[in-house]
Amino acid sequence: MVIRFVGGTVLTETGLVEGDVWVDGATVASIGPTAGSADETFDVSGMLVGPGLVDVHTHLRDPGQTWKEDLRSGSRAAAAGGYTAIVAMPNTEPAVDEAGLVGALEERARDEAAVTVAFASALTRGRQGEELVDFRALYDSGVRMFTDDGDWLADPDLVEQALEQTRRLPGAVVAQHAEDTAYGQGHVHAGSIAEKLGVEGSPSEAETQAVTRDLRIAERLGARLHIQHVSCARTVAAVQEARSEGVEVTMEVTPHHLDFDVSELEGGDTRFKMFPPLRERSDRDALRAALRRGVIDLVATDHAPHLEVEKDVPFVDAPRGVIGLETAASVVWGLVEDPELFFEVASLNPARLIGLGRHGLALAPGRPANLVVFDPSRRWVPSRFVSKSSNSPYLGRELQGRVVHTVHEGRLVHSLAEVAR
Ligand SMILES: [Zn+2]
């Protein structure tokens, strides 16, 4: 199968160039005004052609809660959002914490998934925070990210041992969901809105203190650490400071923390209930500035599907999380409006984080054909999703820029042109 994308702006190793992209089989065959015939030709003038997006923080709910999402639906939602690779979080039922389960999931992913799915493992057995997983066995089965996401691994001795062990596994990384529950288990950011809603609040300190503690351990061991979904200005500052002292630390931010603040929760809308919670306007602005300056390494969706009936309950009972795979590219584009930065934070850096060698590469002849075509000028209003869930704050909200085609290993796995046919 030969696919030709005509007239786009292409991200190559030497920067942006105007030209046609030819995909032949599973590789990029050439970039430029080459003549020839293709099985499929798409006019992509005015659009960006670059490496497929990579999400290092997706909840597929599989196994265990497949009414919300599964490998099939989640990977198709990813394709619709321009992603060619995603990392599935291990807080499933059962939790992904041993090599046998990873092997079984990888086999299913090869059959069922529309894009590449890498599986993260829990840090502790059953995500109980008590006994570490067998890092070596999981690493040998392909795992590169270890996280108890959903909970912070609080025990400093276990964090130390986990960092000690992953340090010896090239490319492996411990990722922490930073939320110290010693500060309570609030439902929204602590402050006037929590008071107005009459619910317990969660202060920024719960995150910043957790991160600061982990950075100290990482520094002492000379180990690599990744901080998941940072939500406030002081966390960014703490990470920056640690970096300046030589700590090898990366951080991610979600589209919703870049886009919204706690004021969205004024009316108790459960679509804005997520963890960490949306914080102050000043935090949101600091996250944006840090992303634009390259201080925050990457954007990750924290795609967290829940059914409408599950969210349509009293605020304190509503589950945390929003979906994000199908809207993230538009949200990020709206905030950066810079093609190179866009691909850096949504593709190159996330792929590098866990060493996904076939993804997150500027386009070049001979490279794997994992790519996305994004139209920055197209406005759209999300009205339904490929995901099984639609708990999105963007439902009915106009977005700027849209994913038009996604190619995974040379196969067109998403195309608005196909939808229109
Ligand atoms: Zn989390």
Side-chain angles (χ1 to χ4, degrees):
M1 177 88 166
V2 177
I3 311 172
R4 182 188 181 200
F5 296 103
V6 183
T9 302
V10 187
L11 185 80
T12 69
E13 277 191 313
T14 51
L16 298 167
V17 301
E18 305 290 318
D20 301 352
V21 174
W22 291 76
V23 172
D24 189 352
T27 52
V28 173
S30 70
I31 297 165
T34 330
S37 66
D39 301 301
E40 291 258 30
T41 299
F42 298 104
D43 178 2
V44 298
S45 43
M47 303 186 202
L48 302 171
V49 187
L53 310 186
V54 175
D55 187 30
V56 296
H57 198 140
T58 306
H59 295 279
L60 288 179
R61 309 296 191 210
D62 191 349
Q65 293 186 309
T66 51
W67 60 89
K68 298 175 194 255
E69 197 79 288
D70 59 25
L71 259 170
R72 188 174 288 276
S73 64
S75 64
R76 276 160 186 74
Y83 289 89
T84 54
I86 56 177
V87 180
M89 288 294 108
N91 64 335
T92 47
E93 294 169 14
V96 175
D97 62 1
E98 53 98 20
L101 184 50
V102 172
L105 283 167
E106 280 175 345
E107 201 176 311
R108 277 189 52 213
R110 278 191 290 275
D111 288 344
E112 299 170 27
V115 300
T116 299
V117 182
F119 294 89
S121 163
L123 280 162
T124 61
R125 290 189 193 278
R127 297 177 58 256
Q128 296 299 304
E130 287 160 9
E131 191 190 342
L132 292 175
V133 296
D134 184 340
F135 290 97
R136 165 56 73 177
L138 284 152
Y139 181 84
D140 288 343
S141 72
V143 171
R144 291 296 176 270
M145 181 186 277
F146 296 88
T147 173
D148 272 358
D149 184 44
D151 294 295
W152 181 52
L153 178 53
D155 185 328
D157 295 332
L158 290 183
V159 173
E160 184 166 332
Q161 287 169 42
L163 288 170
E164 194 59 79
Q165 292 196 44
T166 49
R167 200 171 56 140
R168 296 197 207 104
L169 304 170
V173 66
V174 167
Q176 277 271 54
H177 167 121
E179 183 186 9
D180 185 350
T181 50
Y183 289 85
Q185 292 200 303
H187 296 271
V188 295
H189 177 58
S192 59
I193 289 191
E195 280 162 30
K196 194 178 156 203
L197 294 174
V199 300
E200 194 184 339
S202 173
S204 306
E205 287 77 15
E207 175 177 288
T208 308
Q209 289 302 320
V211 169
T212 306
R213 199 281 314 259
D214 289 341
L215 287 170
R216 250 181 262 129
I217 300 176
E219 180 172 27
R220 185 150 40 79
L221 298 176
R224 182 176 169 227
L225 177 69
H226 178 68
I227 312 294
Q228 296 176 298
H229 43 49
V230 296
S231 70
C232 62
R234 283 204 284 166
T235 302
V236 173
V239 169
Q240 254 188 304
E241 195 184 316
R243 249 183 214 156
S244 70
E245 285 155 12
V247 182
E248 199 184 336
V249 53
T250 47
M251 57 181 155
E252 67 185 37
V253 65
T254 71
H256 43 275
H257 287 101
L258 289 167
D259 216 10
F260 302 121
D261 62 55
V262 63
S263 66
E264 300 285 348
L265 286 139
E266 195 93 40
D269 186 343
T270 60
R271 282 184 310 161
F272 292 93
K273 183 179 179 184
M274 74 278 290
F275 269 68
L278 298 173
R279 303 217 184 262
E280 312 282 344
R281 174 67 56 105
S282 56
D283 290 308
R284 187 205 68 177
D285 293 345
L287 296 175
R288 288 181 177 185
L291 184 76
R292 290 182 184 127
R293 292 202 318 272
V295 172
I296 291 178
D297 301 85
L298 59 106
V299 176
T301 67
D302 197 3
H303 178 83
H306 298 291
L307 292 190
E308 210 171 309
V309 290
E310 297 169 309
K311 276 281 197 180
D312 192 17
V313 292
F315 194 83
V316 290
D317 299 328
R320 321 144 144 204
V322 293
I323 58 169
L325 285 171
E326 295 169 68
T327 48
S330 305
V331 176
V332 174
W333 175 259
L335 293 169
V336 301
E337 291 189 320
D338 171 331
E340 281 163 308
L341 183 58
F342 173 74
F343 285 113
E344 201 170 296
V345 298
S347 175
L348 276 64
N349 290 347
R352 197 174 295 138
L353 178 72
I354 60 155
L356 281 173
R358 297 183 67 80
H359 299 266
L361 302 166
L363 303 193
R367 285 202 166 157
N370 290 311
L371 56 93
V372 63
V373 178
F374 184 81
D375 185 351
S377 65
R378 197 177 298 208
R379 291 180 163 272
W380 65 297
V381 179
S383 59
R384 61 197 178 89
F385 295 99
V386 175
S387 167
K388 285 187 183 182
S389 296
S390 53
N391 54 313
S392 166
Y394 296 102
L395 203 59
R397 226 180 243 253
E398 191 177 66
L399 291 170
Q400 173 76 47
R402 187 165 193 191
V403 171
V404 178
H405 307 284
T406 309
V407 175
H408 177 253
E409 299 294 334
R411 278 183 49 238
L412 201 58
V413 289
H414 163 76
S415 175
L416 287 184
E418 297 279 320
V419 173
R421 254 174 221 170

